[in-house]
Amino acid sequence: MHPLPDNGRNSPDENSQMTNYKLTYFDIDGGRAEPIRIALHAAGIDFEDERLSFAEFGEMRGGTPFSALPVMEIDGVVVTQSNGLSRYVGKMAGLYPDDDLQALYCDEALGALEDMLHAIVPTFGLQGDELKAAREKLVDGWLSTYIKGLGTLLERGGDYFADNRLTVADLKAAGQTAWLRSGALDHIPADLVERLAPGLVKHQDRVLADPRVVAYYSSR
Ligand SMILES: N[C@@H](CCC(=O)N[C@@H](CS)C(=O)NCC(=O)O)C(=O)O
C-alpha cells in the first residue's frame, strides 16, 4: 500500500490513494514490462515486482488471462496489455502527455513498437537454416520498415516521440533499440538500427541518461 504521489493527475479521493500494485513479468531488465517498472518507480509508487523464470511461467501459463505476461494486479484485480498499463502508470508518473494530439503521437509510437515485436516473435523457437531465413526475411522486410518508420516518428517529435519530453513511448523505444543493438538476436545485424535510423541510437542514449531512468537502475 502506498500513497499516490501528488502530481495533480490523481483523484483527490482518499480511498483511491491507497492501492496495491503487483507487476508480474519475466526476470529480465527489459521487455514489455520495463517501461511500466520505470514509470512506477518514477511515480514513487511501491509495487511488488514479481519476476518469474521461464520455467516458472511455463508452470503457471494458464493462470494469466491470455497465457502471457506482463500482468498487473491492481488491488487484486488482474489487468493485462503492456501498452495500456504503461499509459495508466505513465499518467501517474507524469510520463504521458495531457494534450490529446501529443497523446496520440505517444500511442502511435507505442503501437508501432508493439507491432515490431509481433513481427519478431514468430522467429523465436526456430533453429538453424529456418531461423536464418526467417530473420533475413525480417531484416529485408518488416523489421527495416518498422525501424525506419519509428525513426520518422522520432524526427517529427524531435528529441522525443511526443510532447517534447520523456514519455512511456520513449521508454519502450529505448528498450527495444537496446535489444536490437545488443546482438542477442541471431542474424539481425547489431548495427541495423544505426544504419537505418541513427536518430534512434541517440534517442536511446538520451533516454538512458534521463534522471528518472538513471534513478530506477540505481535502485535495482
Ligand atoms: N499484447 C500483450 C502481449 C504479451 C506477450 O506476448 N507477452 C510475451 C512476453 S513479452 C509472453 O508472455 N509470451 C508468452 C509466450 O511466449 O509463451 C501485451 O502487450 O502485454
Side-chain angles (χ1 to χ4, degrees):
M1 299 277 250
H2 56 81
L4 290 177
D6 180 12
N7 58 14
R9 290 178 174 76
N10 303 306
S11 162
D13 181 315
E14 190 62 28
N15 292 329
S16 72
Q17 299 193 10
M18 297 296 282
T19 307
N20 266 301
Y21 294 98
K22 176 179 172 185
L23 180 63
T24 304
Y25 193 60
F26 296 108
D27 188 14
I28 51 171
D29 287 328
R32 284 180 169 100
E34 197 72 344
I36 308 167
R37 291 180 182 135
I38 297 171
L40 282 164
H41 187 266
I45 294 175
D46 288 332
F47 66 103
E48 186 182 340
D49 185 16
E50 184 179 51
R51 291 168 176 255
L52 301 181
S53 67
F54 292 105
E56 285 168 329
F57 174 66
E59 283 161 26
M60 59 81 74
R61 171 191 294 274
T64 69
F66 298 107
S67 294
L69 298 176
V71 297
M72 190 157 161
E73 281 177 47
I74 305 174
D75 277 345
V77 177
V78 174
V79 187
T80 65
Q81 303 308 320
S82 58
N83 281 353
L85 292 168
S86 289
R87 272 189 285 273
Y88 173 72
V89 179
K91 286 175 192 173
M92 296 191 279
L95 290 169
Y96 188 78
D98 293 320
D99 176 82
D100 285 345
L101 181 60
Q102 296 302 322
L104 173 62
Y105 293 160
C106 181
D107 291 349
E108 181 188 24
L110 287 171
L113 288 158
E114 191 58 30
D115 287 351
M116 183 164 81
L117 284 179
H118 282 280
I120 298 170
V121 165
T123 65
F124 292 168
L126 300 179
Q127 306 219 325
D129 289 345
E130 222 183 349
L131 175 65
K132 186 168 184 286
R135 291 272 167 88
E136 285 175 354
K137 191 171 169 204
L138 264 185
V139 169
D140 291 340
W142 281 113
L143 183 57
S144 294
T145 300
Y146 282 118
I147 292 171
K148 283 189 224 165
L150 285 159
T152 303
L153 295 191
L154 181 60
E155 277 169 26
R156 180 187 65 196
D159 283 349
Y160 300 97
F161 282 96
D163 223 12
N164 212 20
R165 65 187 173 95
L166 188 80
T167 70
V168 285
D170 301 295
L171 298 178
K172 185 167 178 124
Q176 290 186 205
T177 300
W179 183 50
L180 289 171
R181 298 181 66 214
S182 69
L185 291 161
D186 290 343
H187 312 294
I188 294 185
D191 67 348
L192 187 66
V193 179
E194 177 94 63
R195 282 194 273 124
L196 298 180
L200 288 175
V201 174
K202 293 197 189 83
H203 172 262
Q204 181 199 347
D205 294 341
R206 189 174 304 123
V207 172
L208 292 180
D210 184 279
R212 289 157 291 186
V213 178
V214 172
Y216 170 73
Y217 285 109
S218 303
S219 75
R220 286 277 302 131

